[in-house]
Amino acid sequence: MHFASLPDDRARSVPDAPAIGDDRTDLTNRELAARVTAAAGTLADHGVGRGDVVAVQLDNRVELVVVLFAAWRLGATVNPLNPVLTGAEATHQVLDAGSVLLVTADGTGPVADVTTIGVDDLTSSSAPELADPSADDLALLIYTSGTTGRPKGVMLTHANLDAMTASFIEWLEVTEADHSMLVLPLFHANGIVLGTLTPLRAGGQVSITGKFSRDRFFADVERLRPTYFSAVPAIYAILSALPEDVHPDTSSLRFVVCGAAPMPAELISRFEQRFDVVLVEGYGLSETTCASTINPLHGLRKPGTVGLPLPGQQVAVVDSDGRQLPAGEVGEVAIAGPTVMVGYLGKPEETAESIVDGWLRTGDVGRFDEDGYLVLVDRVKDMIIRGGENIYPKEIESVLYQHPDVLEAAVVGMPHDVLGEVPVAFVARRPDATADADDLLELCRERLSDYKLPVSVTLVDELPKNPVGKIDKPTLRTTVTSA
């Protein structure tokens, strides 16, 4: 499907049913369609047309979703920006995308050569007709987080969104009865696709709760009664560390999803048992529109794996020559199918390096187990080579997470004059923890070969995070490199 018509379709079908809300407003299907039409008129009044790019830099709020549908109504593409980008970072992204208009909260923005409007301006009385839709229309330009260089624009079409949302609806059994509580950022594929478009396509509704807050999260669950939400491991770790006397009512939740980074099996079990909810871990990238594997809702779920390939997608583990490897052998994860991006905007060489013979080479290291579940070993770029021996930080982190005092752990490589690199660990502990660095090193000695042992464990109050909530290993590497 082409998502430009979705608001109108919902309004015709059940006009007074709830569609989307945030802390400021709640919209029915009829009201959402009207807001989208008015916003599309405003964009058209500013010269936006088919093939143009509209940038939007907003905190999580209803207007961001309205701009998505409004731009798509005109046949335009949306470039969502992280609201905390610096002026220089935002300028690079807006200009690199070729954006002709920027939407911000108050109508001011950092890009001098691009017209900027505010959310209060999205009220035109003109009502442009729906542009002749094509599945090949570019829907989104999602910029990578830039941990390996300057951010790149991932080009996703309406065909990509169609395939991804259909896959989610089938696998997670999403219906008109479902209600997504959105806490992840709407400048990221997970928030847009799983958190918003999937329930809306299925006839359900979305509640946007704004920036994650430990102290209000479960109050929102009890107030809104969602049937699912998606979050990152850091959020689940924070929630699992709430005081033991916190017992929220989670009975409305059918399941919750974890993505963006591997989640330790111990943390999954701890969260499920404490809050009486099914947690399914998945795996994907912006380059595959959101997710490619997820543990099933029914049948065998395997904490510590990222599940089975989603409907319509092919997932393989390959060697350096692209040959598919059998179960049990470790190689690079590769993905093919209708959710794979068109490519990186304006970067044909990098696109050709990433997509080989139709397969996206992810840069992630993994293996399939005997039941066909994908086990992530690590990132290719995160691998540490210590005196010729390959060390995958995730293996060390998994051991550290087995200690009940560990809230979060990250292992990176530190340069070494003789060995090339050695592993060092950073750990944030739970409140009232008593374990010290020596205790954690002793746990590693019990369960890891000598060459895998971290040379140090540094205790920190909190591990740094990137904008999508992943532990920011590049920052940690900078710390140990400059030490």
Side-chain angles (χ1 to χ4, degrees):
M1 70 175 294
H2 193 294
F3 280 87
S5 63
L6 183 58
D8 288 344
D9 294 342
R10 288 174 58 102
R12 280 192 295 269
S13 176
V14 276
D16 296 320
I20 190 167
D22 60 19
D23 291 337
R24 303 172 183 84
T25 187
D26 290 294
L27 301 179
T28 64
N29 287 332
R30 190 201 317 268
E31 291 165 338
L32 174 60
R35 291 278 294 270
V36 168
T37 299
T42 300
L43 301 186
D45 292 344
H46 284 83
V48 175
R50 191 179 191 87
D52 287 330
V53 177
V54 176
V56 56
Q57 188 174 31
L58 294 171
D59 291 321
N60 277 15
R61 57 191 295 174
V62 160
E63 287 83 2
L64 200 160
V65 178
V66 168
V67 171
L68 284 177
F69 286 118
W72 294 341
R73 186 180 184 89
L74 301 173
T77 304
V78 180
N79 168 214
L81 280 70
N82 184 343
V84 302
L85 291 181
T86 66
E89 290 168 331
T91 297
H92 163 72
Q93 187 167 321
V94 169
L95 297 182
D96 185 72
S99 305
V100 300
L101 187 70
L102 172 61
V103 182
T104 64
D106 60 2
T108 63
V111 190
D113 298 330
V114 175
T115 300
T116 302
I117 63 173
V119 294
D120 291 339
D121 299 319
L122 301 172
T123 56
S124 175
S125 58
S126 60
E129 292 296 319
L130 187 70
D132 184 25
S134 168
D136 295 330
D137 287 342
L138 197 61
L140 292 170
L141 280 171
I142 301 286
Y143 274 72
T144 60
S145 56
T147 57
T148 58
R150 210 143 198 212
K152 304 184 290 288
V154 174
M155 297 188 290
L156 300 176
T157 66
H158 283 273
N160 291 141
L161 298 182
D162 176 36
M164 188 71 262
T165 53
S167 187
F168 277 142
I169 287 171
E170 178 180 348
W171 192 252
L172 298 174
E173 303 173 3
V174 183
T175 72
E176 67 277 359
D178 277 299
H179 180 178
S180 163
M181 190 176 86
L182 181 67
V183 65
L184 294 181
L186 275 167
F187 62 84
H188 192 258
N190 192 311
I192 293 174
V193 183
L194 176 56
T196 305
L197 296 182
T198 295
L200 291 181
R201 177 178 181 172
Q205 67 180 104
V206 181
S207 290
I208 301 171
T209 63
K211 188 175 180 180
F212 171 73
S213 167
R214 184 198 75 160
D215 295 329
R216 68 169 273 185
F217 186 86
F218 280 122
D220 285 335
V221 169
E222 293 179 329
R223 173 176 60 90
L224 297 168
R225 306 296 292 165
T227 60
Y228 78 90
F229 63 81
S230 181
V232 296
I235 287 177
Y236 289 111
I238 291 169
L239 294 175
S240 70
L242 284 167
E244 290 300 324
D245 60 353
V246 175
H247 300 289
D249 178 2
T250 60
S251 59
S252 68
L253 293 167
R254 290 201 298 118
F255 63 90
V256 299
V257 182
C258 182
M263 186 169 175
E266 291 76 12
L267 179 55
I268 293 174
S269 298
R270 187 183 305 139
F271 188 89
E272 287 189 324
Q273 292 169 11
R274 176 167 180 185
F275 297 113
D276 191 26
V277 63
V278 171
L279 191 159
V280 290
E281 185 181 9
Y283 161 72
L285 306 90
S286 298
E287 287 87 341
T288 60
T289 313
C290 188
S292 295
T293 66
I294 298 181
N295 268 276
L297 289 180
H298 311 295
L300 181 63
R301 284 187 294 117
K302 289 191 170 185
T305 79
V306 290
L308 299 165
L310 289 173
Q313 299 191 53
Q314 297 170 267
V315 182
V317 173
V318 301
D319 64 15
S320 58
D321 295 322
R323 290 188 293 263
Q324 294 192 26
L325 299 172
E329 292 197 23
V330 173
E332 183 177 6
V333 179
I335 300 167
T339 64
V340 173
M341 67 174 179
V342 175
Y344 296 115
L345 178 68
K347 298 186 182 297
E349 292 182 0
E350 292 186 43
T351 298
E353 291 175 359
S354 296
I355 303 177
V356 181
D357 297 328
W359 288 84
L360 177 78
R361 305 292 289 268
T362 66
D364 291 314
V365 179
R367 60 177 173 81
F368 283 107
D369 72 8
E370 65 280 1
D371 296 313
Y373 288 65
L374 182 63
V375 180
L376 293 182
V377 177
D378 226 313
R379 286 286 298 172
V380 169
K381 294 181 176 64
D382 285 345
M383 186 175 70
I384 300 166
I385 304 177
R386 178 182 193 168
E389 296 278 6
N390 293 346
I391 301 172
Y392 295 107
K394 185 173 182 289
E395 184 178 3
I396 305 172
E397 291 161 1
S398 295
V399 169
L400 290 168
Y401 273 111
Q402 292 171 22
H403 197 290
D405 282 357
V406 171
L407 178 64
E408 292 181 309
V411 174
V412 298
M414 181 176 70
H416 190 277
D417 290 341
V418 177
L419 298 174
E421 285 182 298
V422 292
V424 295
F426 294 84
V427 171
R429 295 175 297 175
R430 296 178 176 278
D432 302 321
T434 58
D436 59 18
D438 287 339
D439 295 328
L440 298 176
L441 282 171
E442 182 58 32
L443 175 66
C444 291
R445 290 189 192 97
E446 293 173 2
R447 305 187 184 187
L448 294 170
S449 301
D450 286 348
Y451 77 91
K452 297 177 184 177
L453 293 176
V455 298
S456 64
V457 172
T458 300
L459 302 178
V460 295
D461 292 334
E462 183 179 2
L463 292 176
K465 307 291 195 308
N466 70 14
V468 297
K470 297 181 185 179
I471 293 173
D472 188 354
K473 288 192 173 183
T475 294
L476 293 176
R477 290 191 194 97
T478 301
T479 301
V480 300
T481 300
S482 59

